Amino acid sequence: MSKIQYTRALGKLLTTSIQNSKESVRYHIVSGLTQNWSVISEGSTKAVKSFSEQEEAINYAKQKVANRTGEIVIHTKTGQIGSRIPVGI
Amino acid sequence: MPFETNVFINCPFDKDYVPLLKSLVFTIIYCGFEPQLSITRSGANIRINEIKKLIKGSKYSVHDLSRCKPMKIGELPRFNVPYELGLDIGCFEYGGAKLKRKVILILETEKFHYQKVLSDIAGQDIQDHNDEPKKVIQKVRHWLATNNIHLSFDGPTEIWNSFNLFNSDLNATLSSNFTKHEIEEMSVVEYMKFTKNWVKIKKQYG
């Protein structure tokens, strides 16, 4: 039995994260619909760039975060969170 | 329950199916429709009566036959999904004028698997998803768009990327109070509520 119950407060918190997300330095590595890996900036649903290998996509995202503090979120092929890599200073 | 936007979902509710169910529910909500699942109803009524009500009250139905076979050695195939598919086709065939407008999508893992086990459904709209959530999103979005040409729909990549970002936001929001396991095990009812909230705000903020 799940312990998570939807509440207005949690729902509001979730939507706050979308509204503030454009300010965060966070990149998502998402498996594309074709055989590729997309780098998506937080607050957008459009790919910044796509790569054939996941490793290349992660390296590109690390370069984008360079000199700042941020995070790279790597998604699994099912769309869930695989891992989070803190990067930057 | 508005008939025109209701989508009855007939699928397994086991743990292995959860990633596909989440993508299915997310796509339906994202496209502006309302998922109808028997699992979201209270247990007071006899389950099949609740299912009949959902079928009758939904213009659209998605039936996933992908688990109508043993998934492991020693496991038995399950027939609830084809049984409810039969009820839905019967509702369409023998119901009144309103029910003649029902639109049915059948999903399966591999193309043409149904021909071996349920060949009488040939001629229905049958699509394969290879057990991949991204394919579920593509196929369901395309089916809804094809049957609603007067409405505009975001592309499959936009919906797939949104699904990924939603899962990230949901994890980030809940992670201070819940474990990763608890978040993964969240009931579909709660998942739908969070999805509706997120999609509503996402569409407002573009």
Side-chain angles (χ1 to χ4, degrees), chain A residues 1-8 10-15 17-19 21-22 26 28-34 36 38 40-47 73 75-84, chain B residues 19 22 131 133-135 138 156-158 160-174 176-180 182-187 190-191 193-195 197-199 201-202 205-206:
Chain A
M1 196 68 176
S2 169
K3 289 178 186 171
I4 297 176
Q5 291 254 307
Y6 174 87
T7 61
R8 278 190 179 183
L10 276 177
K12 197 175 171 190
L13 196 62
L14 177 67
T15 60
S17 73
I18 316 171
Q19 293 166 49
S21 58
K22 289 184 196 320
R26 184 180 289 142
H28 297 262
I29 311 298
V30 172
S31 161
L33 292 184
T34 48
N36 63 343
S38 301
I40 298 171
S41 170
E42 181 85 356
S44 168
T45 44
K46 306 273 184 287
V73 182
H75 294 253
T76 65
K77 286 190 172 180
T78 64
Q80 304 303 313
I81 309 302
S83 57
R84 294 176 184 272
Chain B
K22 283 181 176 174
D131 284 339
K134 64 175 78 169
K135 287 217 169 140
Q138 282 178 290
T157 301
E158 177 78 15
W160 167 245
N161 289 347
S162 296
F163 175 65
N164 278 267
L165 297 189
F166 165 70
N167 287 324
S168 172
D169 282 352
L170 188 62
N171 271 271
T173 302
L174 300 177
S176 53
N177 295 316
F178 299 99
T179 65
K180 193 179 175 190
E182 284 168 335
I183 297 169
E184 280 169 6
E185 298 280 303
M186 184 193 308
S187 77
E190 306 304 321
Y191 190 81
K193 287 178 184 169
F194 282 113
T195 304
N197 228 316
W198 190 90
V199 168
I201 300 297
K202 193 255 175 195
Y205 283 80

Side-chain angles (χ1 to χ4, degrees), chain A residues 25-29 39-40 48 51 54-74 83-89:
Chain A
V25 184
R26 184 180 289 142
Y27 286 89
H28 297 262
I29 311 298
V39 179
I40 298 171
V48 180
F51 298 87
Q54 190 195 51
E55 195 64 36
E56 293 175 291
I58 295 169
N59 288 337
Y60 178 79
K62 280 181 181 170
Q63 286 168 22
K64 296 287 284 182
V65 186
N67 302 325
R68 286 178 291 176
T69 304
E71 184 183 44
I72 296 169
V73 182
I74 302 170
S83 57
R84 294 176 184 272
I85 309 174
V87 281
I89 305 161

